[in-house]
Amino acid sequence: MVQPGGGGFDLSQIMQQAQQMQQQLVQAQEELANTEVTGTAGGGLVTATVSGDSQLKNLVIDPKVVDPEDVETLADLVVAAVRDASANAQKLTEQKLGPLAGGLGGGGGMPDLGSLGFGG
């Protein structure tokens, strides 16, 4: 049976799919928040650990790199390790959420909501 408006789609099925995708997204975000990734700098002299949602959890500094005469290098290594860890967290996020995000952007079996009068 064709729905009013001639769309030929089942709105309740679309809503159910969207709800399932949202549940999967929430679950993936929770998994990310509970996952830790590391980044290093200076050949492992500084190691930063961040959660999958990019919260800094731990920072390990090898005493060999601590030089009171050269604090700038230590600061640079800390920044580089945190950036590396954050980049690794971003990659993890893309791996976890990529398939879910792809389902939201068309090509996932959902009609273009703009063509249905829901925006655009």
Side-chain angles (χ1 to χ4, degrees):
M1 176 175 204
V2 176
Q3 299 291 323
F9 64 91
D10 183 350
L11 185 58
S12 65
Q13 182 180 5
I14 292 169
M15 296 302 290
Q16 183 178 17
Q17 288 174 348
Q19 185 177 16
Q20 287 173 349
M21 287 176 60
Q22 183 173 358
Q23 289 171 346
Q24 291 171 343
L25 182 61
V26 168
Q27 181 180 2
Q29 288 172 328
E30 288 173 0
E31 288 175 18
L32 283 170
N34 293 323
T35 302
E36 292 185 350
V37 294
T38 60
T40 60
L45 293 173
V46 177
T47 301
T49 303
V50 300
S51 62
D53 60 355
S54 296
Q55 299 297 313
L56 183 62
K57 295 292 187 179
N58 192 28
L59 185 64
V60 178
I61 300 172
D62 189 312
K64 291 185 285 190
V65 76
V66 179
D67 178 358
E69 301 296 320
D70 189 12
V71 176
E72 288 179 21
T73 296
L74 177 57
D76 290 344
L77 290 172
V78 169
V79 168
V82 171
R83 282 185 182 159
D84 187 41
S86 294
N88 291 337
Q90 180 63 34
K91 289 176 191 171
L92 180 65
T93 299
E94 290 170 3
Q95 289 172 355
K96 285 263 189 204
L97 301 183
L100 296 172
L104 295 173
M110 291 185 64
D112 177 8
L113 296 180
S115 69
L116 301 174
F118 290 114

